[in-house]
Amino acid sequence: MSENEKVGGLDPERKVAGDAPIAGAGAVAPVEERKKREYKDMEEKPTGDQHARVDMKTIQFTATDLYDKDKVDIEHVVMEEVFQLLQCTDEGLTDAEATNRIGIFGPNKLEEKKENVLLQFLSFMWNPLSWVMEGAALVAIALANGEGEPPDWYDFVGIVLLLLVNSTIGFVEERNAGNAVKALMESLAPKARVKRGGAWREIESSELVPGDVVAFKHGDICPADCRLVDAVDVSMDQAALTGESLPQGKKLGDECFSGSTCKQGEAEGLVISTGPNTFFGRAATLVGQDNDQTGHLQMVLAQIGSFCLVSIGTFVLLEILVLYADYRYSYRRGLNNILVLLIGGIPIAMPTVLSVTLAVGAQQLAKHKAIVTRITAIEELAGVTILCSDKTGTLTTNKLTIDKENVKCYSKWDVEGVCLLAAYASRVENQDAIDGCVVGTLSDPKLARAGIDLLDFKPFNPVDKRTEITYRDHADGGKLKRATKGMTGIIIDLCSRDKSSEMEDQLEHDVEEFARRGLRALAVAHEDVMGDEKDSQGNGFELVGLLSIFDPPRSDTKQTIDDAMALGVKVKMVTGDQLAIAKETGRRLGLGDHMYPAKVLKEGPPPGGKHLTLDEMIMDADGFAGVFPEHKFEIVKRIQGLGHLCAMTGDGANDAPALSRANVGIAVEGATDAARGAADIVLTEPGLSTIVHAIHGSRVIFQRMRNYAVYACAVTIRIVVCFAIMAFVWEFDFPAFMVLIIAVLNDGTIMTLSVDRVLPSSTPDSWDLAEVFAYGIGYGIYLTASTVALFAVMRHTDFFERRFGVEPLAKGDDVNDWGGHMVIYLQVAIISQALIFVTRSHGPSWTERPSTALMVAFCIAQLISSIIAAYGNWWFTWVRAISGGWIGIVWVWNIIWYFPLDLVKFALKATIIKYLQKRKASKAAAAPALDASPESRLQRTASRHESMYSNRTSFLGRAANRLKGGAKVSMSKNELSRFSSIQAQQSGAALQRASSRV
């Protein structure tokens, strides 16, 4: 129990005796029995030690048996059984025994698997869209030969280069992603003081084994999970495990967790588990369990890819049937037409374009002090509808403060006097959190010892639950005095001077008020010493005041919450603190106090209440209090199950499971290594204001990605439908290499979308793929019509020759005139790139100014396209240069066809898109999110460093699930970066079962 909990609040089970006899009162008159005061303390009662659940003789000396919870809970059995199970004594092990146990339990460390860099790079080519392009490359090099012609080396090289560019960007992204393993591994102490053969020495912590006796003191890190066999005023900082703001007192038999820090006292402990069997190590057994889920962006991109694949596959099949079966094309000629659809229809650059867009967005967020460790989290943040936030250290400062406005005075001292007396009764060096916040109420910490001589000081201890100072007061003629502060029930019981029933009633009322508001109470008393010695008797303590201790909200938190709500994001507090404290914090922040204790997550809503299901209660609540890591995880999981994208903020390892599970895990400034390892975004400035900037920035990035998605679908339809129709109608054979040129120029221009000017949404964004596909089909068919119409005029009329005096192309039997190929190439290249100005705008395309980079890239690409058309006499790809007249005709033709593109957009909005939106709204009304099928919900993967389109599951994570302990756990860096999550989950569960109390 943290000290602020020890000293504050009222306890429903604690009965404090009536008044002690008043000092100096005479003898022995019977004292009228007065009502018992019930002071509520916030601590729980320890559950006591346990015993093995099976016959000790049946337990073998192996990790499998020792860490089998069904047989024995080694963390909580009585110490005699711990020594018996580990076959050791308090004199420690011999070197021979330790060496033998290394072979049984393994070293006290987690091993990481070395990854094959080449295989990791090649894994980025393992996704459906890449498979199609790889198939096209094989067709070009292996199948497209014969009939006296060599393989199609030009198309093969172009395809391979596109694949390599895409894979390189993805590879670099993943290799540079944040890796929390190093920080987490460093949290294990590299050295340990151990008793071997009855003598103390220092060894590498990796050499520790179960049965070793270790020692640690103030400032040391506990090197392994151990049970205390000797403890002197021990306090351990377990914030990296539980997120509690104060160190925890430990006594004999209590467990200290690997990685926790000793803040006070000295201790000797018996090592009970090491390496993969510690709380840190056990996390590895659950890493990878959720890897079968697919990331939100990955799922969206997969559906867009499926749309493109189905479109291509349909027209490839039609070409096979028509060109070979009907037109009797030769083998090589038919393959060339099929390659056009495969190469031109697949948006192979989609992962590359979106990677660049997200990477640029990540750099922009970094300017607002938000470091993105999982780049696809940016897209998910744009769609977040619910933000779950931890309280301690996130919404609040995680720094206890005396609220001077609430100080209660019961004697002649005023507020400043009460605070000064409390500061006297506090340490000024090696302060704990309580002493620090009390002394912090003074304008100058030196005042805590100014004008007095310290004669004796009694620090806080678990028995007395108070501190006491005896001092000489120079301002009062050098008189000796005493001051004490501590737990309310203890202090009032100690007081014997000027104590009345009215005062006790008032004190009880004030403490209950503090408890209702979640404020911890600290009582202060004072007495004059009757002699000149520090041990002389006093005239009786007098209650002088009551201090309230709380963890104040950060200065910018309220504004941040208001801003988040204005963006359509609901904020919920999810804290391990008590319900009253959570409600008080919620009221101060304007968050609301409609909060529930964690037990409702297990028991469900109370019968007869307004909520029929737990899901309804979760959605209606402003927050939950008293939660453990598994509760936070469950809340996030249920919110996701209701169809919402959920973000979670936190700073401790107790937040790590929820940070890992959430669509977007956000570690705030000062977060533990475990929290940073589980998070997707790490804030480097205090407070949550950065989150608002991140949400705004992510919505800008989302709009850029959506614009590209519409564009990619439109280009796919435009290529496959256009060239299939031209082949069916005129037996037109467009050269595949020119499609590659179009793709390269298009993608080079589209890359600049990553810095384009767009208007972010004022509400959470979501992927409505039906709308994306509808826009893509509409634009694609319109662009197809522009090309087919141009070729029809070229083919069947002499309009261009007669009006502009250009040479005739594609006339008579020469439908595949090389100059005609170049005209179609130029027309397709120009109008396809111009489409981006329509997809990026909500209104008329000329009313929303694009970025300078996009305009410059577009102009350069069109210049290159025109130069190729004017000078590209490339015999290997069946094109020849065309005259300036034809280039001008194509430009004018495209300009004429460009302006109605906006009309196509507005027509789609007024008809198909409007219909889709109405249908979506009616479905939502008929089947609310509570009843949505799990298959229809988009959830993110538990793996943080996935590449787009792929979900490369680590089988090591699954294999680790079957380990009962004892075996060496070898995991990849990417998977190991998540192990903090379950370490915290297991720790929280253990603390809930039997937490250490003083």
Side-chain angles (χ1 to χ4, degrees), residues 103-391:
I104 297 175
F105 299 100
N108 183 32
K109 64 180 182 180
L110 298 178
E111 298 182 1
E112 69 179 39
K113 174 180 173 288
K114 300 297 182 182
E115 296 184 7
N116 187 303
V117 177
L118 177 60
L119 293 179
Q120 187 181 4
F121 173 77
L122 293 177
S123 68
F124 287 91
M125 297 186 185
W126 194 250
N127 59 73
L129 294 187
S130 293
W131 295 340
V132 175
M133 290 301 288
E134 289 155 9
L138 291 176
V139 168
I141 194 65
L143 301 180
N145 53 35
E147 300 181 353
E149 295 185 31
D152 189 352
W153 288 102
Y154 306 102
D155 289 338
F156 173 77
V157 172
I159 294 169
V160 170
L161 286 177
L162 277 179
L163 285 169
L164 288 176
V165 168
N166 176 59
S167 298
T168 299
I169 292 178
F171 175 74
V172 171
E173 171 202 329
E174 183 163 302
R175 293 288 289 181
N176 292 337
N179 182 9
V181 177
K182 181 179 179 181
L184 287 167
M185 293 300 292
E186 287 176 352
S187 65
L188 293 175
K191 297 286 186 180
R193 193 159 179 263
V194 64
K195 183 186 285 188
R196 291 276 175 87
W200 290 100
R201 58 175 142 158
E202 190 173 73
I203 64 172
E204 296 286 338
S205 65
S206 61
E207 299 175 14
L208 290 177
V209 294
D212 269 328
V213 176
V214 296
F216 49 88
K217 61 184 185 303
H218 173 75
D220 292 343
I221 296 176
C222 185
D225 286 2
C226 59
R227 299 279 298 275
L228 296 185
V229 295
D230 189 13
V232 179
D233 196 19
V234 175
S235 180
M236 301 296 294
D237 181 2
Q238 298 178 164
L241 301 175
T242 66
E244 293 174 285
S245 56
L246 292 176
Q248 305 299 298
K250 299 289 184 179
K251 63 181 185 298
L252 294 183
D254 284 345
E255 181 181 14
C256 290
F257 301 113
S258 172
S260 58
T261 303
C262 183
K263 289 296 186 181
Q264 181 178 305
E266 298 182 2
E268 293 181 12
L270 178 66
V271 174
I272 60 173
S273 56
T274 57
N277 298 310
T278 62
F279 283 131
F280 265 39
R282 286 178 204 164
T285 63
L286 292 182
V287 169
Q289 271 198 347
D290 291 334
N291 279 358
D292 288 334
Q293 296 178 3
T294 304
H296 182 259
L297 183 57
Q298 281 68 40
M299 201 170 192
V300 170
L301 296 181
Q303 293 184 36
I304 295 174
S306 298
F307 170 82
C308 297
L309 290 175
V310 170
S311 303
I312 295 167
T314 300
F315 283 90
V316 165
L317 181 60
L318 288 174
E319 283 205 345
I320 292 174
L321 294 176
V322 174
L323 301 184
Y324 284 118
D326 189 13
Y327 293 169
R328 304 297 180 181
Y329 268 30
S330 65
Y331 170 73
R332 182 65 180 265
R333 184 183 178 188
L335 276 182
N336 289 337
N337 279 274
I338 291 173
L339 276 175
V340 169
L341 303 192
L342 292 178
I343 297 172
I346 287 293
I348 184 60
M350 180 178 286
T352 304
V353 172
L354 296 185
S355 291
V356 172
T357 302
L358 292 171
V360 171
Q363 294 174 5
Q364 293 171 344
L365 290 181
K367 296 179 181 178
H368 294 291
K369 307 301 182 182
I371 298 174
V372 180
T373 62
R374 182 178 65 88
I375 199 168
T376 54
I378 297 174
E379 176 271 339
E380 296 179 38
L381 183 60
V384 162
T385 55
I386 295 178
L387 171 63
C388 293
S389 178
D390 178 48
K391 179 187 73 70

Side-chain angles (χ1 to χ4, degrees), residues 891-913:
W891 270 97
V892 172
W893 181 271
N894 282 334
I895 291 173
I896 293 173
W897 280 81
Y898 171 78
F899 288 105
L901 268 172
D902 280 319
L903 299 179
V904 172
K905 174 171 61 183
F906 300 141
L908 288 170
K909 283 185 178 180
T911 55
I912 298 176
I913 303 304

Side-chain angles (χ1 to χ4, degrees), residues 726-738:
M726 294 177 72
F728 298 159
V729 176
W730 294 292
E731 300 185 35
F732 181 79
D733 303 328
F734 191 72
F737 188 81
M738 299 310 293

Side-chain angles (χ1 to χ4, degrees), residues 177-184 240-241 283 287 371-375 377 380 629 632-633 636 640 646-668 671-683 940-946 973-985:
N179 182 9
V181 177
K182 181 179 179 181
L184 287 167
L241 301 175
V287 169
I371 298 174
V372 180
T373 62
R374 182 178 65 88
I375 199 168
E380 296 179 38
K632 296 183 179 183
F633 185 92
V636 171
Q640 290 174 324
C646 179
M648 171 75 191
T649 69
D651 67 336
N654 63 317
D655 303 316
L659 290 173
S660 172
R661 173 71 194 190
N663 298 91
V664 183
I666 304 171
V668 299
T672 62
D673 293 335
R676 290 196 296 268
D680 305 307
I681 297 177
V682 179
L683 306 184
R940 61 155 290 189
T941 179
S943 175
R944 189 170 97 217
H945 302 304
E946 64 268 0
K973 288 184 179 180
N974 289 342
E975 298 298 338
L976 197 56
S977 67
R978 283 290 187 183
F979 82 83
S980 60
S981 300
I982 304 304
Q983 163 249 317
Q985 184 177 354

Side-chain angles (χ1 to χ4, degrees), residues 20 144 158 207 297 359 380 407 416 421 453-454 484 487 565 595 660 668 710 715 771 871 929-930 940-941 951 961:
E207 299 175 14
L297 183 57
E380 296 179 38
V407 173
E416 295 297 333
L421 285 177
D453 290 333
L454 172 64
T484 184
M487 179 178 169
M565 291 182 174
M595 300 184 185
S660 172
V668 299
V710 173
V715 169
E771 291 186 13
Y871 300 102
L930 287 172
R940 61 155 290 189
T941 179
N951 184 30
N961 290 335

